[in-house]
Amino acid sequence: MRKINFLAIPAILLCVLAGCGRKTDKEEYVYNVAVQEETGGEFITVDNTITKLDDGLSVVRFDGDYGFDSFLSQGGAESDEGVIKYLASKLLSDAGDLSFGGMAFGCSTISASNKEGGYYFGRNFDWNLCDAIIVMSYPESGYASLSTVNLDFIKQGAGPVPELLSDKTIIAASLYAPLDGMNEKGLCVAVNMIQDSGTISQSSAKPDITTTTAVRMLLNKAATTDEAIELLKQYDFHASMDYMVHLAVSDSTGKSVVIEYINNEMKVIETPVVTNFYLAEGEKNGIGTEQSHIRYGILEDALKTNPVMDKSHVKDALSSVSKGNFGEFESTEWSIIFDQSAMEAAYYHRENYNKEFLFRLEK
């Protein structure tokens, strides 16, 4: 079940609580191979064992401290390598031969009001076949959250992380490497890439944050979109692997924005739809893939047709912009519908919209 690549904080960083080791310590964290073949519409019970839901999709829960507040208080890090260096200096005697690598990814998000007076946040993550893990986190300090990690973004040496890492290590690293998620206050965050030659590397006297640690910070500490914006203003943002990205952020009141960095200056644009091109006015406006403009238009039309959506409307909207519609080799590896009031999430894996994995985030 492992390949590996890009954004994530490499396996080393998994060692927040348990050092990098071979897969031998299985007493506490057990990899359950075949459970939840069909959910039957019931919420999945998540515990501290890595549980396989589908081929290439697993879930786990973590309760307790994983050192993230300490990471922020010491100034964060200006690169993924810096995150590793910090963790290695505090927790590891040998950093090992770890690095990052990966290809571009495309994504779509949509924010829609629902018939219950709340809001849904829908998300597609488009990439090639990968191993993903859903992480339910209950930190000692911070909000509970549900997030998703692409394990293929973690590399060791010149290739994927092998089956030598302990499950403790997988879990710890995943806590630092979310690409999207929702917290107990209904705040949702998702990373979307922009195909551009530039990158993001702010430089001031502020502490530093990387792409995935920014997502983790917002999930842990922000209750609203405005709080998320103010938090990010307190840090110098550095794009992982030098990829240009923007962040879709939405809260339980329906305030939905995209946060972009143009020439290293933060721009905030209110929008219910985000794909993979710049939305900020100015010289960068519209730069991105042609297909991302098509997906954006499809989602805009879906909102015009159904200004108030039920869950099936959101699912149909996500399905309509999934990669299978465009005849490419990539797939939509996961789709999510977050109910920002009920604290519930429906996951769909690899464009199988007839089979859902349901989760409820307890406050």
Side-chain angles (χ1 to χ4, degrees), residues 78-329:
E78 62 182 21
S79 66
D80 292 332
E81 291 82 352
V83 178
I84 297 170
K85 183 178 179 181
Y86 164 74
L87 291 171
S89 68
K90 299 296 182 181
L91 300 164
L92 301 174
S93 59
D94 181 10
D97 184 18
L98 291 163
S99 61
F100 312 103
M103 301 186 304
F105 59 91
C107 307
S108 304
T109 66
I110 181 172
S111 173
S113 59
N114 62 37
K115 295 178 179 179
E116 289 72 40
Y119 288 85
Y120 289 121
F121 183 81
R123 150 74 153 183
N124 279 354
F125 178 81
D126 303 330
W127 209 57
N128 57 333
L129 292 181
C130 67
D131 292 321
I133 188 167
I134 301 164
V135 180
M136 187 173 285
S137 166
Y138 289 86
E140 288 183 0
S141 175
Y143 299 128
S145 66
L146 192 68
S147 61
T148 330
V149 177
N150 181 354
L151 291 174
D152 283 18
F153 286 178
I154 304 168
K155 294 189 71 176
Q156 184 174 46
V161 172
E163 296 261 352
L164 297 177
L165 297 174
S166 70
D167 289 344
K168 287 183 179 180
T169 301
I170 296 283
I171 294 164
S174 296
L175 288 161
Y176 279 73
L179 294 174
D180 52 49
M182 176 181 71
N183 69 19
E184 66 179 85
K185 296 298 184 180
L187 183 88
C188 293
V189 186
V191 177
N192 287 24
M193 186 180 169
I194 301 176
Q195 192 172 61
D196 187 19
S197 58
T199 187
I200 309 165
S201 187
Q202 294 182 306
S203 179
S204 72
K206 300 175 186 176
D208 299 298
I209 202 83
T210 61
T211 301
T212 59
T213 53
V215 175
R216 171 52 61 200
M217 177 180 69
L218 298 184
L219 292 177
N220 282 19
K221 297 183 176 297
T224 67
T225 296
D226 287 340
E227 287 184 14
I229 294 166
E230 290 307 310
L231 264 174
L232 287 174
K233 287 179 179 178
Q234 297 172 31
Y235 289 81
D236 280 340
F237 192 99
H238 304 271
S240 295
M241 290 305 301
D242 292 331
Y243 282 108
M244 179 58 74
V245 297
H246 52 185
L247 301 177
V249 181
S250 178
D251 64 25
S252 62
T253 71
K255 183 167 185 178
S256 183
V257 305
V258 65
I259 299 171
E260 299 180 342
Y261 293 85
I262 311 296
N263 297 322
N264 290 320
E265 181 181 350
M266 179 192 288
K267 304 288 185 180
V268 179
I269 305 95
E270 291 203 31
T271 174
V273 175
V274 182
T275 55
N276 306 106
F277 64 90
Y278 291 101
L279 291 172
E281 293 297 328
E283 60 182 300
K284 294 283 189 176
N285 182 261
I287 291 177
T289 64
E290 179 180 355
Q291 186 196 104
S292 69
H293 284 265
I294 296 171
R295 285 186 274 115
Y296 186 92
I298 292 171
L299 292 178
E300 275 198 319
D301 289 343
L303 283 172
K304 290 176 183 176
T305 302
N306 295 291
V308 179
M309 292 191 171
D310 59 27
K311 188 174 166 184
S312 65
H313 291 139
V314 182
K315 181 169 69 171
D316 289 345
L318 294 176
S319 175
S320 71
V321 294
S322 65
K323 281 293 189 175
N325 297 288
F326 298 95
E328 297 180 348
F329 70 89

